[in-house]
C-alpha cells in the first residue's frame, strides 16, 4: 500500500506556478484547489490555469473543485488536462452520473466530504469512485490546523472500503504535515494533500520525500493495511 503525496499549489507562489510545479517533481500528483467564492469563501483559479499547468508539468493534476454546480463544470477540468477530478457531494446534483461522466472522459473520479458530512449515507456510491476525499479542515483556505476529530471518520471510511473489497484511494486534505500525517495513515488514508508543509519548506522536493517516508512507515504498522 504505497502512500501518495500530493502537494497543493494553493500554498505555492501563483506568479511562478510552472517553477513551483517543477520544485516538487517526484510528487505523485499536483493538487489544484479550484474555489469559486460561492461554495467556499475564497476565489482561486479555473480552467485556463489548469490548461496552462497541464502543459507546464509532467506531474498529473489532481483537481479539487470547491465550487457550486460541479455537474456542469467538472467535465471541463478533464478536458483541460486533469488526471483526477474531485467534486463535493454537498454541491453535486447527481453524484453518480457526474462520477461516470468524469470516468468516461478519461480521468479518475473522486468525491469530497466536508468535515460535517458523514460517509455512511454514501456507502452505495463508493463503487462509482476512484478516490474519496475526507476534508480534515473546513474547505476554503490553506494553512488551517488539522481537525483530529476527523480521524474516526477516516477509520470508518477505510472500513467501508475494505468491506466492499474496493481499490478506492482514500485522500485527506487539510493541515497534513510531519506532525499529523502518521495519524492519518494509521487511520486509513493513503493519499495525502500537503500545502504549506511542502511549499513552506526550504526544499519542497525533500519535504515530499520525507512525508512519504513517514506515511509509509505508519501504514506498514497500521491494522487496516495488515488486514488488507
Amino acid at each position: 500500500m504505497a502512500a501518495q503525496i500530493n502537494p497543493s499549489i494553493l500554498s505555492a507562489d501563483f506568479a511562478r506556478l510552472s517553477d513551483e510545479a517543477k520544485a516538487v517533481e517526484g510528487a505523485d500528483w499536483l493538487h489544484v484547489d479550484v474555489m469559486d467564492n460561492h461554495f467556499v469563501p475564497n476565489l482561486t483559479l479555473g480552467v485556463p490555469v489548469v490548461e496552462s499547468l497541464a502543459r507546464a508539468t509532467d506531474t498529473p493534476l489532481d483537481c479539487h473543485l470547491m465550487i457550486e454546480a460541479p455537474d456542469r463544470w467538472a467535465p471541463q477540468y478533464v478536458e483541460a488536462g486533469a488526471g483526477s477530478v474531485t467534486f463535493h457531494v454537498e454541491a453535486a446534483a447527481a453524484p453518480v452520473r457526474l462520477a461516470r461522466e468524469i470516468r468516461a472522459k478519461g480521468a479518475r473520479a473522486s468525491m469530497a466530504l466536508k468535515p460535517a458530512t458523514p460517509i455512511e449515507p454514501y456507502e452505495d456510491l463508493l463503487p462509482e469512485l476512484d478516490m474519496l476525499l475526507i476534508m480534515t479542515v473546513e474547505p476554503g483556505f490553506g494553512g488551517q490546523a488539522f481537525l483530529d476529530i476527523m480521524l474516526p471518520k477516516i477509520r470508518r471510511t477505510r472500513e467501508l472500503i475494505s468491506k466492499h473489497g474496493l481499490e478506492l484511494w482514500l485522500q485527506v486534505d487539510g493541515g497534513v504535515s510531519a506532525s499529523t500525517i502518521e495519524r492519518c495513515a494509521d487511520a486509513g488514508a493513503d493519499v495525502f494533500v500537503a500545502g504549506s508543509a511542502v511549499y513552506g519548506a526550504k526544499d519542497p522536493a525533500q519535504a515530499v520525500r520525507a512525508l512519504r517516508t513517514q506515511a509509509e512507515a505508519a501504514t506498514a504498522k497500521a491494522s487496516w493495511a495488515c488486514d488488507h
Side-chain angles (χ1 to χ4, degrees):
M1 303 294 291
Q4 299 186 62
I5 307 298
N6 299 10
S8 170
I9 63 164
L10 186 63
S11 298
D13 181 347
F14 274 30
R16 301 173 52 251
L17 282 185
S18 178
D19 292 337
E20 296 283 62
K22 290 181 174 65
V24 292
E25 285 178 350
D28 299 281
W29 296 77
L30 198 60
H31 189 82
V32 182
D33 287 306
V34 177
M35 306 182 192
D36 64 356
N37 202 31
H38 294 286
F39 182 70
V40 292
N42 200 356
L43 185 66
T44 54
L45 45 80
V47 169
V49 175
V50 171
E51 286 178 337
S52 297
L53 201 53
R55 291 193 297 268
T57 180
D58 292 329
T59 305
L61 303 183
D62 165 33
C63 285
H64 176 193
L65 308 184
M66 288 169 271
I67 62 174
E68 291 183 350
D71 305 74
R72 175 185 176 188
W73 297 109
Q76 294 188 30
Y77 285 88
V78 184
E79 294 164 7
S84 176
V85 176
T86 300
F87 60 88
H88 268 267
V89 72
E90 302 90 354
V96 171
R97 184 175 65 199
L98 179 53
R100 290 180 177 180
E101 186 174 0
I102 291 169
R103 280 177 158 181
K105 285 184 173 291
R108 294 178 64 86
S110 171
M111 188 172 79
L113 277 66
K114 293 167 73 172
T117 304
I119 180 59
E120 287 77 10
Y122 305 104
E123 179 178 353
D124 292 343
L125 275 64
L126 297 182
E128 301 289 340
L129 304 169
D130 298 295
M131 182 169 74
L132 191 86
L133 167 55
I134 301 293
M135 290 298 298
T136 44
V137 299
E138 288 293 341
F141 294 92
Q144 297 183 65
F146 179 81
L147 294 173
D148 278 282
I149 57 170
M150 290 299 103
L151 292 171
K153 182 174 170 182
I154 297 168
R155 292 186 190 281
R156 293 197 305 273
T157 304
R158 175 53 67 186
E159 288 166 3
L160 290 177
I161 292 170
S162 298
K163 172 184 169 183
H164 293 282
L166 300 172
E167 293 298 323
L168 181 65
W169 296 352
L170 180 50
Q171 185 180 65
V172 287
D173 180 5
V176 176
S177 67
S179 62
T180 60
I181 194 167
E182 292 177 14
R183 278 175 276 163
C184 294
D186 180 69
D190 54 7
V191 184
F192 307 87
V193 177
S196 49
V198 170
Y199 280 111
K202 194 170 292 186
D203 184 341
Q206 172 56 29
V208 169
R209 290 191 293 271
L211 287 169
R212 185 184 288 112
T213 298
Q214 277 189 279
E216 288 179 346
T219 300
K221 297 182 287 186
S223 59
W224 67 268
C226 297
D227 295 340
H228 189 75

